[in-house]
Amino acid sequence: NSAALFEHDNAASFGFALLERHLRSNTAAPVLLAQPAPRLRFVPGFSLAVNARGDAILVWLRQEEENGGPYVGFIAAFRPHDGTWGPTVVVDRKDTYGPAFVDSAGRAVVKSRELLYRRTTAGTWRTHALPPFEGRFSGMAGNARSDVLLTGRDPASAPGTVFVFEKPVAAPWLP
């Protein structure tokens, strides 16, 4: 996984505040992973997202049985920029996680195969249906307000065709 801050800058606009946001974005993941995390056993994969302020969401697969059962569903833990890792929460018991991001207010968004999950600043997880699409979703991006863009490809479409779906935070998916 890699992190980046996608913000246009130049010599005139670049200053210490922007430098700090770049450093947080690019160094937060390894620093957070080095800190005491929620109780984790070995997991085959995880997704970590950190915003410029330092809020983080860590998402990983849930193991059905204590001793080596199948991985089903996913779990998440949140760390506010000014605190420690919170409790682990089973977000979904059947689906698997996908990409994640954290907006500027500390709201986390995780895309699964079937739903879009949003974690409120109060810690409640809410679900939203994904837009109808016959193809396969391939990427997700979000902005500071928590608006979401999904990209996808449909093998039945012309080669190189990419579909983009937009969901404003408090509105339905746009056509």
Side-chain angles (χ1 to χ4, degrees):
N1 291 341
S2 63
L5 181 63
F6 299 101
E7 184 174 326
H8 180 74
D9 59 60
N10 58 39
S13 66
F14 194 83
F16 287 108
L18 185 55
L19 173 63
E20 181 178 341
R21 289 201 321 267
H22 275 286
L23 289 173
R24 280 181 182 248
S25 172
N26 289 299
T27 61
V31 169
L32 289 174
L33 287 173
Q35 294 178 354
R39 287 189 58 191
L40 297 176
R41 295 185 315 269
F42 171 77
V43 292
F46 66 90
S47 181
L48 175 68
V50 182
N51 66 11
R53 185 171 71 174
D55 301 311
I57 187 76
L58 179 62
V59 184
W60 65 97
L61 292 174
R62 173 183 168 266
Q63 195 162 19
E64 183 65 32
E65 298 170 9
E66 185 68 27
N67 295 316
Y71 289 97
V72 180
F74 64 94
I75 298 171
F78 182 77
R79 179 189 174 277
H81 70 281
D82 58 354
T84 59
W85 286 103
T88 59
V89 175
V90 176
V91 179
D92 191 288
R93 295 188 181 277
K94 296 179 182 176
D95 204 357
T96 60
Y97 70 90
F101 74 88
V102 182
D103 71 13
S104 63
R107 294 177 296 244
V109 177
V110 178
K111 187 196 106 21
S112 73
R113 285 184 301 199
E114 299 176 5
L115 295 168
L116 188 71
Y117 292 86
R118 290 185 187 270
R119 182 189 179 277
T120 66
T121 54
T124 304
W125 285 92
R126 301 216 167 112
T127 59
H128 303 274
L130 294 174
F133 183 54
E134 295 297 322
R136 183 170 187 261
F137 292 109
S138 54
M140 180 178 79
N143 64 13
R145 292 184 339 175
S146 208
D147 299 328
V148 175
L149 285 179
L150 289 178
T151 59
R153 293 182 158 238
D154 185 349
S157 298
T161 302
V162 175
F163 294 87
V164 179
F165 303 89
E166 179 181 2
K167 183 177 186 328
V169 68
W173 289 99
L174 299 177

